[in-house]
Amino acid sequence: MLSLVTCASVSAFQTSRLAAGRPAMHNTRSLTMMAERTPLIAGNWKMNTVLSEAVSLAKAVSEASSTAPDVDVAVCVPFPFLIPVKDALAGSKVGLGAQDCYYETAGAYTAAVSTTMLDSIGCDYVICGHSERRATFGDTDEDVNKKTLKILSEGLKPILCIGELKEERESGETFTVCDNQLTKGLAGTATPGVDAEAMKNVVIAYEPVWAIGTGLTATPEVAQETHAYIRSWFVENYSQEVADGVIIQYGGSVKADNVDELMGCPDIDGALVGGASLEAEGFGRIINFVK
């Protein structure tokens, strides 16, 4: 078990906590200022709702967002409901997101949805690399990388998901997994990788797989520890400027009763919310978190 400490003291806690063999990590004291980062609360509706429910929920999210002036909000909805939800969000600040895409532009790819299609209907965000896509549908790191690059090339914003399995957490491999998924997800393949300028449009979502839909939630201290490592990864692989600017969401059973404590951590810049985003009142409370 990880020792419980306050979020404010996690940076000092990092050095003693890292086990041998984990990727090296910078001192994160200078990385924990969120003053210039606007939090992003995004709902991932997954394979839920029917049309009437989707429209009603979108309207409720739109209303809830109006009382959270310093928070960016988005909903990532099933493909059939993107256009009606877009209409329901009209006049609000809530961004529209898709839950996945394919990396080819067009062609004989039955049931696939391209970024060109998503852009044409007004999407802002696209989730890529979610653990359910990796585990259930077999998305590889190479697939995730191709999707990330394609989303950016279309002028959309990828929400790149990373996170470890329960056994990887227990064996001390969390940072190694995050390092691997970030390195491969942002790398160049046939084209150059994600550069510092493009990183301004990338959102990182740290979602420990063992906490997704299980009711288990990483304590704020555990979540902050990993978020601080992720931010230090960007110092090492990009620059301090990129690290200071990148939005790093937490995902994994975020609810109305734990969001305040999670959002009190200096390197947590928002949340990617699953099941709790389907309940209007609860998600409204998450959007209007109190620090």
Side-chain angles (χ1 to χ4, degrees), residues 136-149:
T136 305
F137 298 96
D139 280 13
T140 64
D141 288 324
E142 182 181 16
D143 294 331
V144 174
N145 176 245
K146 289 179 179 179
K147 291 179 181 184
T148 301
L149 296 174

Side-chain angles (χ1 to χ4, degrees), residues 163-234:
E164 80 282 4
L165 301 172
K166 185 173 185 288
E167 54 267 31
E168 291 168 334
R169 160 64 66 174
E170 292 174 343
S171 63
E173 297 178 82
T174 295
F175 293 177
T176 300
V177 171
C178 290
D179 173 44
N180 184 61
Q181 291 179 340
L182 286 168
T183 298
K184 293 182 177 179
L186 299 173
T189 50
T191 59
V194 180
D195 63 17
E197 184 63 27
M199 274 305 306
K200 295 177 181 178
N201 292 312
V202 176
V203 176
I204 304 297
Y206 167 62
E207 296 197 302
V209 179
W210 49 270
I212 298 175
T214 64
L216 300 173
T217 307
T219 65
E221 296 76 24
V222 169
Q224 166 60 21
E225 179 190 30
T226 307
H227 277 241
Y229 166 72
I230 293 168
R231 203 170 301 284
S232 77
W233 185 93
F234 282 98

Side-chain angles (χ1 to χ4, degrees), residues 83 113 133 172 282:
I83 292 177
V113 175
R133 295 295 313 179

Side-chain angles (χ1 to χ4, degrees), residues 12 14 45 64 84 91 119 122 138 140 143 145 148 153 163 171 194 257 277 279:
Q14 305 288 345
W45 295 0
D119 179 58
T140 64
D143 294 331
N145 176 245
T148 301
S153 72
S171 63
V194 180
D257 61 4
S277 70
E279 199 279 306

Side-chain angles (χ1 to χ4, degrees), residues 55-69 73 88-94 280 283-285 287-288:
V55 170
S56 176
L57 182 55
K59 290 178 178 178
V61 173
S62 176
E63 182 176 353
S65 71
S66 66
T67 56
V73 181
L89 296 174
S92 78
K93 70 173 187 177
V94 181
F283 190 56
R285 174 62 180 82
I287 292 170
N288 288 273

